[in-house]
């Protein structure tokens, strides 16, 4: 969370978002969130899992800046080949 502009602006720097995906299909199996606004962000993960989205699907979707949901995109990028922009 420390790398996110929105988290820095509100001084909510602690936390993480982690996406667990299938090694072969990349389907999202689970999402862990421990952070400010996690209750607001979890809906995006639930919808992705309901539609059997892949981590790559989330990585390619648009996430506004600066927002806390950028952490979901970062986690998706990390789950798809360690491509996170801000680690």
């Amino acid at each position: 969370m420390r790398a996110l502009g929105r988290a820095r602006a509100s001084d909510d720097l602690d936390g993480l978002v982690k996406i667990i995906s299938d090694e072969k299909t990349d389907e999202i199996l689970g999402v862990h969130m421990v952070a400010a606004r996690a209750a607001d962000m979890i809906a995006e993960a639930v919808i992705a899992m309901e539609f059997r989205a892949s981590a790559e699907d989330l990585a390619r979707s648009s996430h506004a800046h600066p927002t806390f949901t950028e952490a979901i995109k970062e986690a998706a990028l990390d789950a798809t080949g360690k491509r996170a922009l801000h680690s």
Side-chain angles (χ1 to χ4, degrees):
M1 299 302 287
R2 293 187 179 282
L4 300 178
R6 182 63 183 99
R8 287 186 171 280
S10 64
D11 199 29
D12 291 314
L13 303 176
D14 296 328
L16 64 89
V17 175
K18 181 177 182 179
I19 294 177
I20 308 296
S21 61
D22 184 273
E23 189 174 357
K24 292 181 181 152
T25 66
D26 195 35
E27 180 180 343
I28 298 169
L29 303 175
V31 178
H32 300 261
M33 292 184 187
V34 179
R37 309 286 173 92
D40 299 332
M41 296 188 296
I42 198 67
E44 180 177 350
V46 171
I47 290 169
M49 291 176 66
E50 182 66 26
F51 285 97
R52 302 187 70 179
S54 67
E56 184 67 28
D57 291 333
L58 278 183
R60 290 178 180 241
S61 64
S62 177
H63 290 81
H65 172 77
T67 63
F68 283 93
T69 59
E70 287 179 284
I72 296 171
K73 182 179 183 88
E74 292 286 330
L77 286 166
D78 188 59
T80 58
K82 304 296 180 196
R83 304 179 304 166
L85 301 174
H86 306 97
S87 2

